[in-house]
Each structure stands twice: as C-alpha cells, then as structure tokens.
C-alpha cells in the first residue's frame, strides 16, 4: 500500500522532472477569486496539469483551474502555485484534499500560503477585502492525520508571516476562519453560530490543508479574500458569480500584496 506521504514524494519527483526545478521554496494555493492575481507573481514560469502528477484528480468547480504553475520569481524564489484545490465537499477524501500540501512539502517548500475566497461576518469587510487568518475552527469533524498523531496547532498561522504581511499592507485585518463542510453556503443561523464561536470568516477550505502543512513542518500564512458578506449579514442572496467578480475586481490588490510579500519571506 502506498501511503499518502509516499504518494506525495512520487508527485514531487514527477514535478521536479516536468518543471526542471529540483527544489521549490514557497507554495501557494489559490482559492476562489485569487486566480486573476497569479500573473503578478512572475512571468518566467512553466505550467503543468495537476493530472500530470500522481495522486491528483481533475478540478471540479467553474473558475477553479486544475493547473500548477512553477514560477521563477524576480527575487529568485521558486514558487509552486496551485491554481486550484480539491475541496472536502468533492467527496474524494481528506487525503486528496491535502495531497497538494504534502506534495509541496516533499518538493522542498518550507512555507505555504493558503488563500481562499470566503464569506465575512464583519459588515465593514466589503467584497474584495483581504483578511489574514489568525486562527481557525474546523467544523468538518475530520482531520488529515490518522492515528495517534498529536500535532500541536498553537500559532498554526505564523505570527511572523502575518507581521510581514502587515509590513506590506498596514490596513490588513485579521480573523478566525471557520471551515464548514459545504458545498451549500450557511444558513443565517449557522453564520450567527460561527460568530458566537469566535469566527469572523466562513468558508469551505484551508483548515485541513493547514493541519497537513503543520504536520509537514511548513510555516503557514493564510489569507482570505472576503468575496461576499456571509448569509444573513447582508440581505443579499449569495451566488458564485458574485464571488468570481469580487476576485476580478480585487486581482490587482491581491497580486501586489503577494508580489511584495513573497520576497520578504
Ligand atoms: I467565495 O459565504 C465563499 N465561499 N462556507 N460561505 C462558505 N464558503 C464560502 C462563502 C461563504 N463564500
């Protein structure tokens, strides 16, 4: 039986062969609304399909592209950018959700930037506002870890990296990200519950990946793009087209944020 860790090693070896890059430095996972920002990270790149690597399955959501871009940045970093992710709600299992994270670790990345599009509970966060993830609440009732593997999640989202992000943009707020299983959005009562629990952001990704990244020893930065106010916070209904539009409108800011931040890491 191939373990998830061995499968990730195989994927990393295939990645090195197909990109010609022996070691990657920083991994990024792009969530809903983040794809338009990718071009700001560098023009010197090779792109492969995730399905060219062992263990990856095809992307399932409109606006999510099943590609991996290996970028040589202007500052000389090898960036490994996943242009889409596998979501828990796809039903492929938690190991499939975190396979990109484990592949990034096996490819040599010491740092991972997990991004997402999400709903915001703070009414002052208009669509297109980036928020640093300070901590999370995992409501999926599962873990990527199996067995007696008691990984410490204190300071899961690196205070050092959050500090660097604020050096780039002092207006950045922080929040607690709550992962629901999805794929439906929350009811207003569930959003209210998330707020009572201490949450500021609601989404369908990131927490399981962060746990796997911590297990792998990577330093983690989480950035949410608030693409909509969470259900019941505004009287507007939620729809996926709004999410994609908020991303397009915020692309310049997100690209500049990442482009300025990564060289400092
Ligand atoms: I984009 O309001 C996006 N993803 N759970 N709730 C949840 N996920 C989301 C939301 C949201 N917006």
């Amino acid at each position: 039986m191939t373990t998830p860790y061995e499968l990730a090693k195989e994927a990393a070896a295939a990645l090195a062969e197909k990109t010609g890059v022996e070691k990657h430095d920083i991994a990024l996972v792009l969530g809903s609304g983040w794809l338009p920002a990718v071009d700001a990270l560098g023009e010197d790149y090779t792109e492969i399909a995730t399905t060219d690597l062992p263990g990856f399955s095809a992307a399932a959501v409109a606006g999510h592209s099943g590609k991996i871009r290996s970028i040589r940045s202007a500052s000389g970093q090898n960036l490994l950018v996943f242009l889409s992710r596998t979501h828990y709600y796809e039903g492929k299992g938690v190991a499939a959700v975190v396979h990109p994270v484990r592949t990034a670790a096996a490819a040599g990345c010491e740092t991972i930037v997990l991004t997402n599009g999400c709903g915001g509970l703070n009414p002052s966060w208009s669509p297109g506002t980036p928020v640093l993830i300070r901590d999370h609440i995992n409501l999926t009732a599962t873990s990527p870890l199996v067995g007696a593997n008691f990984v410490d999640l204190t300071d899961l989202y690196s205070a050092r990296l959050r500090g660097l992000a604020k050096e780039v943009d002092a207006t950045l707020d922080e929040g607690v990200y709550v992962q629901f299983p999805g794929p439906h959005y929350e009811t207003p009562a569930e959003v209210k519950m998330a707020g009572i629990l201490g949450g500021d952001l609601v989404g369908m990704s990131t927490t399981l990946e962060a746990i796997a990244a911590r297990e792998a020893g990577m330093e983690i930065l989480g950035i949410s793009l608030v693409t909509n106010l969470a259900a019941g916070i505004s009287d507007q209904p939620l729809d996926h087209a709004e999410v994609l539009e908020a991303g397009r409108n915020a692309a310049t800011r997100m690209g500049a944020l990442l482009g300025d931040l990564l060289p400092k890491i």
Side-chain angles (χ1 to χ4, degrees):
M1 252 281 285
T2 313
T3 70
Y5 308 96
E6 287 163 353
L7 189 58
K9 266 196 180 164
E10 288 172 18
L15 174 77
E17 195 211 304
K18 290 190 190 295
T19 61
V21 178
E22 266 313 302
K23 180 197 176 294
H24 283 85
D25 303 309
I26 301 176
L28 292 95
V29 180
L30 300 187
S32 299
W34 285 82
L35 189 57
V38 70
D39 288 327
L41 300 180
E43 286 161 20
D44 179 9
Y45 65 81
T46 51
E47 211 165 81
I48 62 171
T50 49
T51 46
D52 289 343
L53 303 182
F56 287 84
S57 48
V61 185
H64 293 195
S65 140
K67 299 221 167 64
I68 299 173
R69 192 179 285 192
S70 171
I71 304 173
R72 178 79 179 171
S73 76
S75 65
Q77 293 167 318
N78 291 321
L79 309 178
L80 180 61
V81 187
F82 296 90
L83 304 193
S84 67
R85 55 160 50 92
T86 295
H87 287 85
Y88 180 62
Y89 58 69
E90 291 172 53
K92 293 170 182 155
V94 185
V97 170
V98 303
H99 183 56
V101 173
R102 288 178 172 152
T103 298
C109 296
E110 294 99 359
T111 308
I112 189 162
V113 181
L114 299 172
T115 72
N116 61 56
C118 73
L121 271 67
N122 180 338
S124 75
W125 292 337
S126 54
T129 303
V131 177
L132 299 172
I133 301 177
R134 183 177 67 240
D135 202 346
H136 82 216
I137 297 173
N138 169 15
L139 293 186
T140 65
T142 190
S143 170
L145 313 185
V146 177
N149 190 356
F150 306 117
V151 170
D152 175 31
L153 302 184
T154 311
D155 193 29
L156 181 60
Y157 300 90
S158 162
R160 184 186 81 89
L161 294 179
R162 281 182 276 136
L164 290 180
K166 286 184 206 171
E167 284 177 17
V168 170
D169 182 346
T171 71
L172 284 170
D173 277 339
E174 296 190 352
V176 173
Y177 179 89
V178 183
Q179 180 175 359
F180 283 84
H184 53 272
Y185 294 120
E186 297 72 32
T187 63
E190 288 164 344
V191 168
K192 187 174 175 193
M193 175 190 78
I196 292 167
L197 294 179
D200 304 293
L201 307 157
V202 286
M204 305 178 195
S205 68
T206 305
T207 76
L208 300 170
E209 294 157 43
I211 295 165
R214 164 53 59 89
E215 181 201 29
M218 285 190 278
E219 192 174 14
I220 302 157
L221 178 66
I223 317 178
S224 286
L225 177 64
V226 175
T227 56
N228 56 277
L229 287 178
I233 301 290
S234 97
D235 50 16
Q236 296 295 310
L238 273 51
D239 90 291
H240 189 61
E242 171 195 30
V243 167
L244 298 180
E245 195 194 326
R248 279 190 292 275
N249 295 338
T252 309
R253 182 172 179 197
M254 296 312 106
L257 172 61
L258 293 176
D260 292 347
L261 173 63
L262 297 181
K264 291 170 162 271
I265 293 176

